Amino acid sequence: MKYISYSIAATMTIMMMLIFINLDGWMQMAAQLPFMKIDPTITGGEVVDSIVSDNYKLWIHEGVHPGLFEDKSRTITQIDIEGDYYGKVTVNGKQYELNATSHDVKVNGEEYAASFKRKNGWTLRIE
Amino acid sequence: MKNKLYSTGNVLRSILLTLPMTLISMMMLSQGGQALGTLEDTCVYLAACAIYNIAFFLMLYKGEIDKWRAVVFATSAVLFSVSFMNNLIELRGSVTYSDADVLSCEIPFCHIVTTMVVIPAAIKQTIIFPGSIMTGFASISAMFVIIFGSSIILGRGFCSWGCFYGGWDDAFSRVAKNPIIKKVNVAYRWFSFAMLIIMALWSAATLAPEYCSWLCPFKLVTERDAIVDTETLLKNVVMVILFLGLVVVLPLITKKRIQCATFCPMGAFESLFNKISIFHVKNNESKCIKCGKCQRSCPLLAIDSKLKPLINCSKCGKCVDACPTGAMQFHIKGTPVGTKITTARLLFLYPAYTLMVTLIGGSVVNAIKIIINLF
Ligand code: SF4
Ligand code: SF4
Ligand code: SF4
């Protein structure tokens, strides 16, 4: 038993080195784990639609259900906006009138609270 | 001063035992040759190798692990911060992060976040952190591999040999000669386990890493919220107070690593890996004279009144160095207690030091270059 223990202990230096030497390989394997994706409440979820013109670009994300157990009664939809946009967008069957300039972000005429400045535009979170 | 119990007492023998570490450090710090571009790069690389190897040599020659470990650990922590903050300034022009950085998922993943993502990862199968799975520095997959791999090998040894934050409170816990508060109840260590549970549940409830948002003192020496409103101002005030209180003042007056011993949830999480790791610190009771020096010296409140190392031991070696009889020793599970104690010690030192050199060494090399370029 003691020889097995000493042998295991002796291999630990090599193991430690292998963690770093083959880091790219281990990373690829770790990335395959089922939970290795950023939560959609952070990323906004998958982009399901986009509206692009010369003056603006809109990316509409799939609605996400917040909460640990994904509260289906609530849906948050994220729209990323680059440039100034005034017009209608349809999200989850509902039509929104959007007035999004860099200083005035409104949904249905109401000032929308969850708006965040991005590097190249704005992000809206519609609930 | 030498620790006669462990000192090799022989320069040649110490050099020979340092040689494997020299080869490992030269290999790991070269980063596949990337660290050797110009003449300046090569000189800095050689200087970093020399610093790490001299400290390792002194650990063996003097027979004192903790003192030399702490010198390198604390220096590495400070230089890591220099390198990390400089990286951020080059990447995004600031050490602060904004909504834009969070929305773009460009926040480097820190090991402490692991404690907050476990429950959503298990239940919702997602990671609740605005980082990148594969790309950028400190990607989530890279950090997962390093944290879990090294913790399986060393247990909570990560907290004295790998963590690029731990060096800060380790350093402040050594400044004063004598503590103003002489006794800190070891029961306070349970607070870090409570923090682990609270942070894991709180973050699962809000799907946000709440310790990072509100309580991490080390944001002061890495990256922090840009102050844009009352909430971000409050977060910054809390961060400064916690850094000064837990990392500076309390370690100064108690000579204990208060942040790591009582507050950091990752310390508690790492402690669980002590059950798996083959290395541990053990009291050979047949040699113990119950002087209590080990307990008084332990910076992590990890030795109880029965003078036995507890689950939260970080294998720093301070109690081993302090013990006058050699009763407190590094031990390999499954081997007889009290035999081959220098072998057990060496077999632990190599992987532990490999972690320190590899995980923080690259940043040290980078920071030395930054400092040289300032002049
Ligand atoms: S307790 Fe936390 S901050 Fe301290 S060394 Fe461990 S992981 Fe790092
Ligand atoms: S028990 Fe000893 S080795 Fe463990 S943390 Fe305390 S002083 Fe360090
Ligand atoms: S320092 Fe050594 S001899 Fe003294 S109480 Fe601790 S283990 Fe026993």
Side-chain angles (χ1 to χ4, degrees):
Chain A
M1 177 65 187
K2 69 175 181 182
Y3 294 111
I4 296 172
S5 294
Y6 281 124
S7 307
I8 294 172
T11 60
M12 287 304 160
T13 308
I14 297 161
M15 295 293 187
M16 188 64 86
M17 289 172 74
L18 280 178
I19 290 175
F20 293 96
I21 291 169
N22 188 38
L23 189 58
D24 283 345
W26 306 128
M27 278 168 66
Q28 303 281 353
M29 285 165 72
Q32 303 305 316
L33 292 167
F35 57 80
M36 274 294 195
K37 48 188 178 291
I38 308 294
D39 196 89
T41 52
I42 294 169
T43 60
E46 215 180 305
V47 174
V48 287
D49 201 0
S50 62
I51 305 170
V52 178
S53 91
D54 289 347
N55 300 329
Y56 58 81
K57 289 178 189 152
L58 254 67
W59 288 272
I60 301 163
H61 294 248
E62 187 182 30
V64 296
H65 307 296
L68 188 58
F69 298 100
E70 305 206 2
D71 176 6
K72 295 275 189 304
S73 65
R74 286 176 67 202
T75 306
I76 296 175
T77 303
Q78 178 169 319
I79 304 175
D80 301 329
I81 303 160
E82 208 182 299
D84 294 345
Y85 177 79
Y86 180 84
K88 291 190 167 88
V89 287
T90 306
V91 173
N92 294 337
K94 274 198 225 160
Q95 202 173 57
Y96 293 86
E97 200 150 304
L98 217 66
N99 180 359
T101 69
S102 54
H103 297 289
D104 179 19
V105 182
K106 285 185 176 147
V107 176
N108 294 342
E110 301 276 322
E111 192 137 326
Y112 196 73
S115 64
F116 309 92
K117 197 169 182 337
R118 298 182 76 107
K119 284 178 187 142
N120 48 2
W122 288 84
T123 278
L124 288 184
R125 295 243 165 117
I126 303 172
E127 186 168 348
Chain B
M1 250 225 351
K2 287 182 196 169
N3 182 331
K4 292 202 175 68
L5 287 165
Y6 296 109
S7 165
T8 57
N10 178 321
V11 175
L12 191 63
R13 192 169 141 76
S14 304
I15 290 175
L16 281 176
L17 290 170
T18 304
L19 261 184
M21 205 59 242
T22 310
L23 295 175
I24 291 170
S25 57
M26 291 189 80
M27 182 178 155
M28 302 311 263
L29 281 176
S30 76
Q31 294 165 21
Q34 283 175 32
L36 302 168
T38 63
L39 180 64
E40 182 196 310
D41 290 345
T42 309
C43 292
V44 172
Y45 157 79
L46 290 174
C49 287
I51 294 165
Y52 279 113
N53 282 285
I54 289 168
F56 194 82
F57 166 84
L58 289 168
M59 281 185 208
L60 306 181
Y61 182 65
K62 298 260 187 189
E64 299 166 326
I65 288 183
D66 178 62
K67 183 159 129 195
W68 304 105
R69 176 202 62 78
V71 169
V72 189
F73 192 49
T75 312
S76 299
V78 175
L79 292 178
F80 171 86
S81 293
V82 171
S83 170
F84 186 91
M85 289 162 112
N86 185 71
N87 262 348
L88 289 182
I89 290 168
E90 278 176 6
L91 273 175
R92 61 164 98 117
S94 164
V95 293
T96 61
Y97 58 84
S98 60
D99 282 344
D101 300 309
V102 172
L103 286 166
S104 322
C105 289
E106 284 177 0
I107 309 293
F109 188 85
C110 135
H111 50 290
I112 302 177
V113 189
T114 315
T115 58
M116 286 158 269
V117 301
V118 277
I119 296 178
I123 295 175
K124 215 181 162 205
Q125 305 265 290
T126 58
I127 302 285
I128 54 155
F129 186 81
S132 160
I133 297 291
M134 285 293 282
T135 54
F137 77 104
S139 71
I140 296 170
S141 54
M143 291 304 283
F144 262 53
V145 169
I146 294 169
I147 295 155
F148 284 96
S150 60
S151 304
I152 289 167
I153 295 172
L154 300 176
R156 201 191 173 183
F158 183 86
C159 287
S160 281
W161 298 88
C163 178
F164 30 76
Y165 300 138
W168 283 93
D169 75 340
D170 201 351
F172 284 110
S173 73
R174 285 161 192 276
V175 174
K177 202 155 189 267
N178 295 306
I180 296 172
I181 297 174
K182 294 216 162 38
K183 196 162 164 44
V184 182
N185 193 324
V186 292
Y188 287 131
R189 75 186 186 280
W190 292 117
F191 193 73
S192 67
F193 290 86
M195 283 290 288
L196 172 62
I197 295 167
I198 293 165
M199 289 307 142
L201 292 176
W202 183 15
S203 303
T206 58
L207 292 188
E210 298 295 355
Y211 179 85
C212 310
S213 295
W214 286 100
L215 298 173
C216 181
F218 294 114
K219 291 205 298 190
L220 188 65
V221 289
T222 48
E223 60 175 342
R224 58 186 182 278
D225 294 82
I227 300 175
V228 290
D229 53 21
T230 323
E231 181 179 313
T232 47
L233 173 67
L234 188 62
K235 283 178 176 173
N236 275 272
V237 171
V238 171
M239 171 192 75
V240 173
I241 292 172
L242 287 175
F243 189 88
L244 290 177
L246 295 167
V247 183
V248 181
V249 177
L250 286 170
L252 277 175
I253 61 177
T254 59
K255 287 190 72 67
K256 305 287 178 203
R257 290 172 61 181
I258 295 295
Q259 155 69 18
C260 296
T262 67
F263 197 72
C264 177
M266 189 63 186
F269 189 65
E270 287 283 349
S271 299
L272 306 177
F273 286 90
N274 272 347
K275 289 281 174 204
I276 303 172
S277 167
I278 194 157
F279 304 106
H280 67 164
V281 173
K282 195 169 173 70
N283 185 347
N284 175 4
E285 288 174 39
S286 65
K287 285 179 119 185
C288 177
I289 53 168
K290 311 264 186 277
C291 64
K293 285 189 178 167
C294 52
Q295 194 193 28
R296 286 194 295 280
S297 69
C298 177
L300 280 161
L301 311 175
I303 298 182
D304 64 6
S305 54
K306 293 182 190 137
L307 305 169
K308 281 190 182 148
L310 302 164
I311 190 171
N312 56 324
C313 166
S314 72
K315 299 163 198 181
C316 66
K318 197 168 187 181
C319 59
V320 179
D321 291 351
C323 176
T325 66
M328 200 60 88
Q329 58 196 242
F330 282 97
H331 179 247
I332 291 164
K333 290 175 189 168
T335 65
V337 179
T339 57
K340 298 204 180 301
I341 54 174
T342 40
T343 307
R345 185 179 167 95
L346 263 180
L347 288 177
F348 169 75
L349 272 183
Y350 287 127
Y353 211 63
T354 300
L355 174 68
M356 194 191 291
V357 169
T358 318
L359 186 58
I360 328 182
S363 302
V364 168
V365 169
N366 200 18
I368 297 173
K369 281 186 210 160
I370 294 164
I371 294 166
I372 290 174
N373 287 331
L374 285 178
F375 300 102

PDB file of all heavy atoms in Angstrom, chain A residues 22-35:
ATOM      1  N   ASN A  22      -1.079  20.324 -21.741  1.00  0.00           N
ATOM      2  CA  ASN A  22      -2.174  19.960 -22.657  1.00  0.00           C
ATOM      3  C   ASN A  22      -3.429  20.802 -22.391  1.00  0.00           C
ATOM      4  O   ASN A  22      -4.550  20.346 -22.597  1.00  0.00           O
ATOM      5  CB  ASN A  22      -2.490  18.462 -22.493  1.00  0.00           C
ATOM      6  CG  ASN A  22      -3.464  17.976 -23.542  1.00  0.00           C
ATOM      7  OD1 ASN A  22      -3.399  18.403 -24.697  1.00  0.00           O
ATOM      8  ND2 ASN A  22      -4.398  17.128 -23.159  1.00  0.00           N
ATOM      9  N   LEU A  23      -3.210  22.040 -21.933  1.00  0.00           N
ATOM     10  CA  LEU A  23      -4.371  22.855 -21.536  1.00  0.00           C
ATOM     11  C   LEU A  23      -5.386  23.020 -22.669  1.00  0.00           C
ATOM     12  O   LEU A  23      -6.598  22.891 -22.449  1.00  0.00           O
ATOM     13  CB  LEU A  23      -3.899  24.228 -21.029  1.00  0.00           C
ATOM     14  CG  LEU A  23      -4.975  25.103 -20.386  1.00  0.00           C
ATOM     15  CD1 LEU A  23      -5.620  24.404 -19.203  1.00  0.00           C
ATOM     16  CD2 LEU A  23      -4.401  26.440 -19.920  1.00  0.00           C
ATOM     17  N   ASP A  24      -4.899  23.253 -23.880  1.00  0.00           N
ATOM     18  CA  ASP A  24      -5.829  23.436 -25.007  1.00  0.00           C
ATOM     19  C   ASP A  24      -6.708  22.198 -25.195  1.00  0.00           C
ATOM     20  O   ASP A  24      -7.908  22.307 -25.418  1.00  0.00           O
ATOM     21  CB  ASP A  24      -5.069  23.728 -26.304  1.00  0.00           C
ATOM     22  CG  ASP A  24      -4.588  25.173 -26.343  1.00  0.00           C
ATOM     23  OD1 ASP A  24      -5.096  25.970 -25.527  1.00  0.00           O
ATOM     24  OD2 ASP A  24      -3.710  25.480 -27.159  1.00  0.00           O
ATOM     25  N   GLY A  25      -6.076  21.033 -25.107  1.00  0.00           N
ATOM     26  CA  GLY A  25      -6.822  19.784 -25.267  1.00  0.00           C
ATOM     27  C   GLY A  25      -7.864  19.609 -24.176  1.00  0.00           C
ATOM     28  O   GLY A  25      -9.029  19.286 -24.443  1.00  0.00           O
ATOM     29  N   TRP A  26      -7.464  19.851 -22.918  1.00  0.00           N
ATOM     30  CA  TRP A  26      -8.419  19.715 -21.807  1.00  0.00           C
ATOM     31  C   TRP A  26      -9.546  20.735 -21.950  1.00  0.00           C
ATOM     32  O   TRP A  26     -10.694  20.463 -21.648  1.00  0.00           O
ATOM     33  CB  TRP A  26      -7.756  19.927 -20.440  1.00  0.00           C
ATOM     34  CG  TRP A  26      -6.557  19.083 -20.118  1.00  0.00           C
ATOM     35  CD1 TRP A  26      -5.344  19.524 -19.684  1.00  0.00           C
ATOM     36  CD2 TRP A  26      -6.442  17.657 -20.179  1.00  0.00           C
ATOM     37  NE1 TRP A  26      -4.493  18.480 -19.484  1.00  0.00           N
ATOM     38  CE2 TRP A  26      -5.131  17.321 -19.779  1.00  0.00           C
ATOM     39  CE3 TRP A  26      -7.311  16.628 -20.564  1.00  0.00           C
ATOM     40  CZ2 TRP A  26      -4.679  16.006 -19.733  1.00  0.00           C
ATOM     41  CZ3 TRP A  26      -6.851  15.316 -20.509  1.00  0.00           C
ATOM     42  CH2 TRP A  26      -5.561  15.024 -20.101  1.00  0.00           C
ATOM     43  N   MET A  27      -9.177  21.943 -22.422  1.00  0.00           N
ATOM     44  CA  MET A  27     -10.195  22.987 -22.593  1.00  0.00           C
ATOM     45  C   MET A  27     -11.256  22.556 -23.596  1.00  0.00           C
ATOM     46  O   MET A  27     -12.443  22.744 -23.376  1.00  0.00           O
ATOM     47  CB  MET A  27      -9.547  24.292 -23.090  1.00  0.00           C
ATOM     48  CG  MET A  27      -8.931  25.123 -22.010  1.00  0.00           C
ATOM     49  SD  MET A  27      -7.921  26.436 -22.714  1.00  0.00           S
ATOM     50  CE  MET A  27      -9.149  27.455 -23.530  1.00  0.00           C
ATOM     51  N   GLN A  28     -10.782  21.958 -24.702  1.00  0.00           N
ATOM     52  CA  GLN A  28     -11.752  21.481 -25.723  1.00  0.00           C
ATOM     53  C   GLN A  28     -12.688  20.468 -25.094  1.00  0.00           C
ATOM     54  O   GLN A  28     -13.896  20.504 -25.325  1.00  0.00           O
ATOM     55  CB  GLN A  28     -11.013  20.777 -26.882  1.00  0.00           C
ATOM     56  CG  GLN A  28      -9.971  21.602 -27.583  1.00  0.00           C
ATOM     57  CD  GLN A  28     -10.574  22.581 -28.576  1.00  0.00           C
ATOM     58  OE1 GLN A  28     -11.774  22.545 -28.825  1.00  0.00           O
ATOM     59  NE2 GLN A  28      -9.767  23.483 -29.085  1.00  0.00           N
ATOM     60  N   MET A  29     -12.109  19.565 -24.263  1.00  0.00           N
ATOM     61  CA  MET A  29     -12.942  18.543 -23.628  1.00  0.00           C
ATOM     62  C   MET A  29     -13.910  19.182 -22.637  1.00  0.00           C
ATOM     63  O   MET A  29     -15.099  18.849 -22.600  1.00  0.00           O
ATOM     64  CB  MET A  29     -12.062  17.501 -22.920  1.00  0.00           C
ATOM     65  CG  MET A  29     -11.394  16.542 -23.891  1.00  0.00           C
ATOM     66  SD  MET A  29     -10.054  15.630 -23.130  1.00  0.00           S
ATOM     67  CE  MET A  29     -10.944  14.532 -22.085  1.00  0.00           C
ATOM     68  N   ALA A  30     -13.387  20.124 -21.837  1.00  0.00           N
ATOM     69  CA  ALA A  30     -14.251  20.776 -20.836  1.00  0.00           C
ATOM     70  C   ALA A  30     -15.380  21.539 -21.507  1.00  0.00           C
ATOM     71  O   ALA A  30     -16.521  21.555 -21.025  1.00  0.00           O
ATOM     72  CB  ALA A  30     -13.408  21.725 -19.971  1.00  0.00           C
ATOM     73  N   ALA A  31     -15.075  22.143 -22.658  1.00  0.00           N
ATOM     74  CA  ALA A  31     -16.089  22.949 -23.353  1.00  0.00           C
ATOM     75  C   ALA A  31     -17.253  22.087 -23.855  1.00  0.00           C
ATOM     76  O   ALA A  31     -18.328  22.607 -24.145  1.00  0.00           O
ATOM     77  CB  ALA A  31     -15.453  23.703 -24.507  1.00  0.00           C
ATOM     78  N   GLN A  32     -17.007  20.761 -23.961  1.00  0.00           N
ATOM     79  CA  GLN A  32     -18.088  19.860 -24.417  1.00  0.00           C
ATOM     80  C   GLN A  32     -19.059  19.504 -23.296  1.00  0.00           C
ATOM     81  O   GLN A  32     -20.104  18.913 -23.539  1.00  0.00           O
ATOM     82  CB  GLN A  32     -17.499  18.535 -24.955  1.00  0.00           C
ATOM     83  CG  GLN A  32     -16.503  18.679 -26.090  1.00  0.00           C
ATOM     84  CD  GLN A  32     -17.076  19.457 -27.248  1.00  0.00           C
ATOM     85  OE1 GLN A  32     -18.218  19.242 -27.645  1.00  0.00           O
ATOM     86  NE2 GLN A  32     -16.302  20.410 -27.746  1.00  0.00           N
ATOM     87  N   LEU A  33     -18.704  19.838 -22.060  1.00  0.00           N
ATOM     88  CA  LEU A  33     -19.583  19.475 -20.947  1.00  0.00           C
ATOM     89  C   LEU A  33     -20.944  20.160 -21.128  1.00  0.00           C
ATOM     90  O   LEU A  33     -21.007  21.296 -21.626  1.00  0.00           O
ATOM     91  CB  LEU A  33     -18.951  19.888 -19.609  1.00  0.00           C
ATOM     92  CG  LEU A  33     -17.682  19.106 -19.225  1.00  0.00           C
ATOM     93  CD1 LEU A  33     -16.959  19.770 -18.066  1.00  0.00           C
ATOM     94  CD2 LEU A  33     -18.026  17.662 -18.884  1.00  0.00           C
ATOM     95  N   PRO A  34     -22.014  19.489 -20.741  1.00  0.00           N
ATOM     96  CA  PRO A  34     -23.350  20.012 -21.074  1.00  0.00           C
ATOM     97  C   PRO A  34     -23.642  21.401 -20.503  1.00  0.00           C
ATOM     98  O   PRO A  34     -24.418  22.144 -21.081  1.00  0.00           O
ATOM     99  CB  PRO A  34     -24.301  18.961 -20.481  1.00  0.00           C
ATOM    100  CG  PRO A  34     -23.477  18.099 -19.600  1.00  0.00           C
ATOM    101  CD  PRO A  34     -22.075  18.179 -20.092  1.00  0.00           C
ATOM    102  N   PHE A  35     -23.003  21.748 -19.379  1.00  0.00           N
ATOM    103  CA  PHE A  35     -23.314  23.047 -18.769  1.00  0.00           C
ATOM    104  C   PHE A  35     -22.405  24.172 -19.273  1.00  0.00           C
ATOM    105  O   PHE A  35     -22.509  25.304 -18.814  1.00  0.00           O
ATOM    106  CB  PHE A  35     -23.224  22.952 -17.239  1.00  0.00           C
ATOM    107  CG  PHE A  35     -21.889  22.470 -16.744  1.00  0.00           C
ATOM    108  CD1 PHE A  35     -20.818  23.340 -16.656  1.00  0.00           C
ATOM    109  CD2 PHE A  35     -21.716  21.150 -16.376  1.00  0.00           C
ATOM    110  CE1 PHE A  35     -19.585  22.897 -16.213  1.00  0.00           C
ATOM    111  CE2 PHE A  35     -20.488  20.694 -15.930  1.00  0.00           C
ATOM    112  CZ  PHE A  35     -19.413  21.573 -15.846  1.00  0.00           C
TER     113      PHE A  35
END
